[in-house]
Amino acid sequence: MDFSFLPKYWAYFNDGVLITILISVCVVFFGTIIGVLLTFMKRSNIRVFKWLANFYIWIFRGTPMVVQIMIAFAWMHFNQMPTISFGVLDLDFSRLLPGIIIISLNSGAYVSEIVRAGIEAVPKGQLEAAYSLGIVPKNAMRYVILPQAFKNILPALGNEFITIIKDSALLQTIGVMELWNGAQSVVASTYSPVTPLLFAAFYYLMLTTLLSYLLGLLEKKLGQGAM
């Protein structure tokens, strides 16, 4: 394998991975908010909220993400959004925003199940004890249940973050210049069909490995704090 292209095209990978991280952080932030809202809608006593949450989850978990991305890009028209230079890559917000929005909506459907499972893993006696002390349901959930559920949620939420980093490559289908699209630009410029893609795969592997290691440290720290 010939890596002689790297000195000239290194920036395509470096800038691409920064855009990938930006996309992933935004998706985790908004996806978590959506997931928590869906969880409480499903736990609500209002049947309409339950139905809407279940319907939402059914749609986004039952259809391919690449299809959702293409539909979102066709429906969302951000023609007035700017394109800015991000190193050697161009960041077109008219393509980036639909991508972030739809992956966040997709992620929210999965996060909602993660949060629901984490809450249900907390012993019911904890909630009953909070009520017996005169704590109102809202505060019992906020101060008693959610802090304990967080330790159950963290590993699965970390896995969702790792999945999003990899799934962000699907945004190349609508022209978002993230890591995978940057690698394909190198392929087109160097006429080397394999090596740039292998190097991009190595970048993804290093990124997900580092994140897994950091999440492991955080889980260990939380586990020690519980002892």
Side-chain angles (χ1 to χ4, degrees):
M1 290 184 290
D2 182 13
F3 289 94
S4 60
F5 64 88
L6 277 179
K8 183 177 180 181
Y9 293 100
W10 194 282
Y12 283 81
F13 299 98
N14 290 339
D15 295 341
V17 79
L18 290 176
I19 294 174
T20 294
I21 292 172
L22 172 65
I23 292 169
S24 301
V25 169
C26 290
V27 169
V28 168
F29 177 77
F30 292 113
T32 300
I33 293 174
I34 294 169
V36 171
L37 289 175
L38 287 171
T39 298
F40 285 111
M41 287 175 67
K42 289 188 68 173
R43 292 174 60 86
S44 170
N45 294 323
I46 303 175
R47 294 182 63 183
V48 174
F49 285 174
K50 286 185 176 181
W51 184 87
L52 287 174
N54 286 325
F55 181 75
Y56 178 104
I57 293 168
W58 174 62
I59 291 293
F60 279 97
R61 295 187 67 176
T63 55
M65 186 185 293
V66 67
V67 174
Q68 297 168 15
I69 290 170
M70 297 302 293
I71 292 173
F73 183 63
W75 276 356
M76 299 179 192
H77 300 286
F78 297 111
N79 297 327
Q80 304 302 318
M81 298 301 293
T83 298
I84 65 172
S85 295
F86 193 92
V88 298
L89 302 178
D90 291 327
L91 201 52
D92 184 354
F93 280 86
S94 66
R95 299 175 184 274
L96 180 65
L97 286 183
I100 289 177
I101 290 170
I102 198 63
I103 297 182
S104 297
L105 293 172
N106 179 282
S107 178
Y110 289 90
V111 171
S112 69
E113 294 299 293
I114 293 171
V115 175
R116 179 191 59 79
I119 291 175
E120 291 180 355
V122 177
K124 292 184 178 179
Q126 296 288 325
L127 195 60
E128 295 170 357
Y131 291 161
S132 68
L133 293 173
I135 302 175
V136 298
K138 180 177 69 174
N139 288 337
M141 178 61 67
R142 180 178 178 183
Y143 296 111
V144 178
I145 303 302
L146 287 181
Q148 296 181 70
F150 178 73
K151 294 180 181 180
N152 302 323
I153 293 168
L154 182 62
L157 198 59
N159 290 333
E160 176 67 10
F161 193 1
I162 291 171
T163 299
I164 289 167
I165 288 175
K166 295 182 290 185
D167 287 347
S168 65
L170 294 174
L171 294 183
Q172 61 88 23
T173 57
I174 58 173
V176 176
M177 293 301 297
E178 37 65 64
L179 175 57
W180 191 245
N181 212 349
Q184 289 184 322
S185 298
V186 176
V187 169
S189 299
T190 62
Y191 303 102
S192 177
V194 177
T195 312
L197 301 184
L198 288 175
F199 193 73
F202 174 76
Y203 253 86
Y204 282 113
L205 183 60
M206 291 299 99
L207 195 59
T208 56
T209 300
L210 176 61
L211 182 58
S212 297
Y213 174 73
L214 294 175
L215 287 168
L217 291 179
L218 181 57
E219 289 177 38
K220 185 177 179 181
K221 184 175 181 181
L222 289 175
Q224 291 174 345
M227 296 177 62

